Amino acid sequence: MYTSPSGGTLGKATAVMKAISFYLSDHPVIVSFRWSHALWGSTWSFLFYSIALYFLVSIFLHLILALLLRRGQNVPLGPLPALHSLSMSVISATIFAGLLLSAAAEIRETQWLWRRSKTPLEWLLCFPLGTRPSGRVFFWSYLFYLSRYVHMLRTVSVVLRRRKLVFFQLFYHAISTFMSFMWLEFSQSFQVLAILFTTLAFCVIYGSRFWTAIAARGACLQLVLNCQIVLLGCNLVCHVGVLLLHFFTGGCNGIGAWVLNSVLNGAVLMLFLNFYMGVDLGRRRKPSKNVGDSDCECGDDKIARSCSVFGAGKEADSNKLKSC
C-alpha cells in the first residue's frame, strides 16, 4: 500500500502529540497523584525551615562578600546564570503545557459532576466544595511548588554577581513559595489559572534572560516589568472573579487560604508598584544622551540599585549599569 509523504508526516505528528499528551496528562503517576505529608517538601516544618534557610543564606552571602571582597568586585559565575535561566524557562514551559492538558482532561472527565452549576471557566476559578488535592491538576501544582525552590537560586546568583541583597526579591520568593504550598494544602481555588499565568510569564522572562546572557547583551528591563504587570493584572481580575463566585454560586473550596493569598498578593503588588515607580522616576532623571540604553539595562543591577536591603550608598559614575 502506498502512503503519501504528507500522510506519513501527519501520522508521525499525531503519534508525537499523543505521546506528549500521555506523558503530560495521562501517565499513571500523574493521574494517581495525591498530596500528602509523605511527599518531599510537603510539611509545614519543611516550608518554614526552607524559607528561613533561604533568608539566612542570602544575608550570610551578602555579609561575607562585603568582608572579603573590595567594593565593586564580584564573584564570576561563568555560564551558571544562563543555565539557571534556561532551566527555569524549560521547567515553566513544561508545567504550563502539562497543567493546560491536565486541566482540559479533568474538565472533560468530571464536568458531568458539576456541569449544572458551573462552566469550565468557573471551575478554573472556583473549585467545588470538598475538592481534594489529588489528580492531574495537583500533580502539576506540586511540581510548581518544587520549582519555587529552584527559583530561589536566582537570589544567590544576584548576590554573588551584583553584591546586592534586594528586599523585594527576598519577600517575593518567600511569599510565592508559601502561597504555592497553601494551594496544595487547602485545595485552594484559582490555583490553576494562577499557575498558568505565572509559568507563561516565567517562560518569557527567563527565556529572554537566557538569550541576553548568551548574546552578551543587556536584558531589557521593560519586558520583565511588562510581564510582571500583566501577571499581577490577571491575578487581580481573577481574584475578583473568585470572590463573586464564592458568594453567588454556593462557595469555593479553600476560601480561607484564598483570603490569606489575596492579602499576600496585595502586599507583593504594593511592593512592586513602589519599585516600578522608583525605576520610572530614575529613568526620567537620567540624561537623555543614552536613551536607547536606558530602556534595556540589566534588570538585576537596576533592581539592586533601586531597592537593596544593604545598599552601599550612591554608585560612582564609572560603575553605571553593565550588561548582564
Side-chain angles (χ1 to χ4, degrees):
M1 181 183 293
Y2 172 75
T3 302
S4 65
S6 60
T9 302
L10 182 61
K12 291 180 180 180
T14 303
V16 170
M17 292 302 298
K18 287 183 178 180
I20 293 175
S21 178
F22 172 77
Y23 284 108
L24 292 181
S25 65
D26 294 325
H27 194 278
V29 175
I30 299 175
V31 176
S32 62
F33 174 80
R34 183 177 298 275
W35 169 257
S36 70
H37 289 170
L39 296 171
W40 188 87
S42 60
T43 61
W44 285 99
S45 58
F46 180 92
L47 175 68
F48 288 120
Y49 287 149
S50 60
I51 292 177
L53 181 63
Y54 166 64
F55 275 91
L56 290 175
V57 169
S58 300
I59 295 173
F60 173 77
L61 280 177
H62 175 83
L63 295 178
I64 199 67
L65 290 177
L67 292 174
L68 297 180
L69 300 180
R70 297 188 304 272
R71 185 176 179 179
Q73 197 176 9
N74 55 23
V75 179
L77 297 179
L80 292 181
L83 291 176
H84 177 262
S85 296
L86 176 62
S87 63
M88 280 301 304
S89 183
V90 172
I91 290 172
S92 298
T94 303
I95 295 175
F96 175 85
L99 184 58
L100 189 64
L101 292 173
S102 296
E106 289 289 337
I107 291 173
R108 183 174 60 251
E109 295 178 5
T110 63
Q111 189 174 6
W112 64 273
L113 292 172
W114 42 265
R115 62 184 175 184
R116 293 183 179 180
S117 59
K118 291 183 183 295
T119 63
L121 178 59
E122 290 174 341
W123 179 82
L124 291 172
L125 287 171
C126 178
F127 286 154
L129 295 175
T131 299
R132 298 286 180 255
S134 60
R136 300 179 178 92
V137 166
F138 291 97
F139 171 83
W140 291 107
S141 182
Y142 175 60
L143 287 191
F144 178 78
Y145 162 65
L146 296 181
S147 73
R148 305 309 301 170
Y149 294 104
V150 182
H151 198 186
M152 286 180 178
L153 295 177
R154 180 156 185 85
T155 302
V156 177
S157 173
V158 171
V159 171
L160 292 175
R161 289 191 302 159
R162 309 300 175 193
R163 300 284 304 280
K164 297 289 184 181
L165 190 59
V166 183
F167 170 72
F168 173 76
Q169 195 173 52
L170 287 174
F171 182 82
Y172 175 74
H173 289 325
I175 292 303
S176 299
T177 305
F178 181 76
M179 288 192 299
S180 60
F181 179 88
M182 288 199 305
W183 292 347
L184 289 159
E185 186 70 10
F186 299 102
S187 304
Q188 183 188 311
S189 298
F190 166 62
Q191 62 178 283
V192 175
L193 290 179
I195 295 173
L196 288 176
F197 293 150
T198 304
T199 51
L200 181 60
F202 282 174
C203 185
V204 174
I205 291 172
Y206 280 100
S208 173
R209 285 172 173 167
F210 171 72
W211 172 250
T212 54
I214 63 175
R217 295 178 56 189
C220 186
L221 179 61
Q222 195 61 41
L223 174 64
V224 177
L225 293 178
N226 289 338
C227 288
Q228 292 286 359
I229 290 173
V230 171
L231 176 60
L232 292 171
C234 291
N235 285 339
L236 180 61
V237 172
C238 291
H239 273 288
V240 174
V242 173
L243 186 63
L244 294 175
L245 289 173
H246 177 70
F247 285 109
F248 292 105
T249 62
C252 299
N253 200 69
I255 195 64
W258 174 86
V259 171
L260 180 57
N261 190 354
S262 300
V263 173
L264 296 175
N265 270 330
V268 171
L269 178 61
M270 291 298 101
L271 283 173
F272 178 78
L273 291 177
N274 179 63
F275 158 68
Y276 181 80
M277 288 186 293
V279 169
D280 188 58
L281 288 175
R283 185 166 52 218
R284 291 181 182 180
R285 291 174 181 175
K286 287 189 67 176
S288 58
K289 61 180 180 179
N290 291 324
V291 175
D293 294 336
S294 66
D295 288 334
C296 288
E297 291 170 325
C298 177
D300 291 338
D301 278 341
K302 204 163 187 180
I303 290 173
R305 294 195 312 124
S306 299
C307 50
S308 61
V309 178
F310 301 104
K314 295 183 178 179
E315 297 289 343
D317 291 338
S318 60
N319 290 330
K320 286 186 177 180
L321 303 177
K322 302 175 183 178
S323 59
C324 288

